[in-house]
Amino acid sequence: MAVEPVVYGASERPPRGDYARAQADYTCAQNWAAYSDADHDTYRRLYERQTALLPGLACDAFIEALPSLGARDRIPRFEDINKRLKPATGWELVAVPGLIPERPFFDLLANRRFPVTDWIRTPDEFDYVVEPDVFHDLFGHVPLLFNPVFADYVQRYGAGGLKAHDLGAGELLSRLYWYTIEFGLIRQAGGLRAYGAGILSSSGELRHSVTSLQPKRIALDLLRCMRTRYKIDDYQAIYFVIDSFDQLFDMTAPDFAPLYEAVRSLGDLSADDTIASDSSITFG
Ligand code: HBI
Ligand code: FE
């Protein structure tokens, strides 16, 4: 059954990926034999460049878990990673042809199935690709799924997403995803570090997010976060900071419905806005 592809954000571009081969839940087989030598070489070069940037910028938990991805010189087989991931935190990777609609996405996360786009950017997109590709998903998202507390947070996020979707609050919850799982910062002994996949898989934003004086950095507050619109195709103007994955997991325990009401009555904020209750985080 062919499924409708989705377009990410406001882009008019047709989505990438061949959705005809996806099943009703949007998952497909990872066609590992279809990767060209150029594809594997692109992955190897991205992996090599990104790992050299991590010290002092990526959080300890990510650096510790990264070797669990396995192959560094070619695109890994998702089934090989699953042999390690399933016993570690109960998660498994499933291939998808690209971005999928909100509800199937939340449903996969709620069931500890992480959707990994199975195509890779072309060599001339080496520095930037608009939609998440296999490098963004594997390198950015998968290592922290080996961390039990973070893995539980992502599953709880998916379950919350299903409720949010049914309340028409999917966009509000996607802001929480954006400002934590994609672009979150964490304070650890040595100072600020990145834990968000969008930062960890980006050659430019990793240093920018942790060291630049330009963006705002404020302590994660759920209401503030869900009020804040995000930018898809530029470095973030604001980063939300946590002190631990336990804190992130505990924050998302209560029911979110009252939060959605509060967001609706207080209204949205742009990523450039500052409000009095912002608790700004300085370096160190
Ligand atoms: N689909 N494959 C894929 N990967 C994502 O990260 C993703 C998605 N669909 C929707 C989405 N993310 C966000 O809108 C979530 O916040 C819901
Ligand atoms: Fe992502």
Side-chain angles (χ1 to χ4, degrees):
M1 164 197 165
V3 287
E4 277 313 300
V6 288
V7 174
Y8 202 47
S11 66
E12 301 71 43
R13 297 148 51 115
R16 294 189 38 176
D18 171 10
Y19 288 76
R21 61 196 170 89
Q23 302 172 102
D25 65 358
Y26 280 85
T27 62
C28 59
Q30 179 192 18
N31 186 352
W32 195 83
Y35 294 130
S36 66
D37 291 346
D39 288 335
H40 287 301
D41 191 52
T42 298
Y43 183 89
R44 181 188 59 77
R45 291 191 300 123
L46 285 166
Y47 189 106
E48 196 173 282
R49 177 176 68 174
Q50 207 58 25
T51 41
L53 298 173
L54 299 177
L57 298 174
C59 68
D60 293 343
F62 177 84
I63 292 177
E64 273 156 41
L66 183 59
S68 304
L69 273 192
R72 342 166 34 120
D73 59 346
R74 61 192 179 288
I75 299 169
R77 292 172 195 266
F78 301 169
E79 65 197 25
D80 291 347
I81 298 175
N82 286 339
K83 286 177 195 141
R84 296 186 287 274
L85 182 60
K86 192 90 173 154
T89 57
W91 277 84
E92 64 171 330
L93 308 184
V94 288
V96 289
L99 290 169
I100 65 175
E102 196 175 86
R103 201 182 195 298
F105 179 74
F106 288 140
D107 193 59
L108 288 171
L109 297 189
N111 291 289
R112 291 185 187 255
R113 301 174 77 209
F114 194 84
V116 180
T117 292
D118 67 348
W119 54 263
I120 193 163
R121 68 194 75 179
T122 59
D124 59 357
E125 294 171 306
F126 189 73
D127 286 326
Y128 182 68
V129 61
V130 178
E131 297 92 343
D133 71 341
V134 68
F135 181 75
H136 165 85
D137 281 338
L138 280 188
F139 192 94
H141 284 288
V142 172
L144 283 179
L145 289 177
F146 282 86
N147 176 290
V149 180
F150 190 81
D152 286 350
Y153 167 68
V154 181
Q155 188 276 334
R156 173 180 273 178
Y157 174 88
L162 289 173
K163 282 189 248 169
H165 179 84
D166 297 342
L167 290 171
E171 163 60 25
L172 301 189
L173 212 73
S174 75
R175 293 172 184 171
L176 178 62
Y177 188 87
W178 193 266
Y179 285 119
T180 57
I181 297 172
E182 289 293 0
F183 290 94
L185 297 180
I186 186 167
R187 261 192 299 213
Q188 58 178 49
L192 279 182
R193 296 290 184 273
Y195 73 90
I199 306 177
L200 290 164
S201 59
S202 159
S203 60
E205 192 155 5
L206 178 52
R207 183 168 304 285
H208 172 86
S209 68
V210 173
T211 65
S212 166
L213 294 174
Q214 244 177 332
K216 268 193 299 296
R217 294 175 184 86
I218 64 173
L220 176 63
D221 167 282
L222 290 188
L223 176 55
R224 174 46 160 117
C225 174
M226 289 192 195
R227 292 183 65 195
T228 309
R229 287 190 298 275
Y230 52 83
K231 305 182 180 198
I232 284 188
D233 47 11
D234 195 355
Y235 287 176
Q236 300 308 305
I238 183 169
Y239 295 99
F240 289 81
V241 182
I242 60 173
D243 289 308
S244 70
F245 294 145
D246 285 303
Q247 177 209 11
L248 185 58
F249 182 72
D250 295 343
M251 274 177 114
T252 50
D255 178 60
F256 282 175
L259 268 176
Y260 302 147
E261 287 317 306
V263 172
R264 287 194 180 102
S265 62
L266 291 168
D268 284 358
L269 294 165
S270 104
D272 302 304
D273 286 339
T274 297
I275 57 173
S277 56
D278 286 350
S279 140
S280 111
I281 305 283
T282 53
F283 295 106

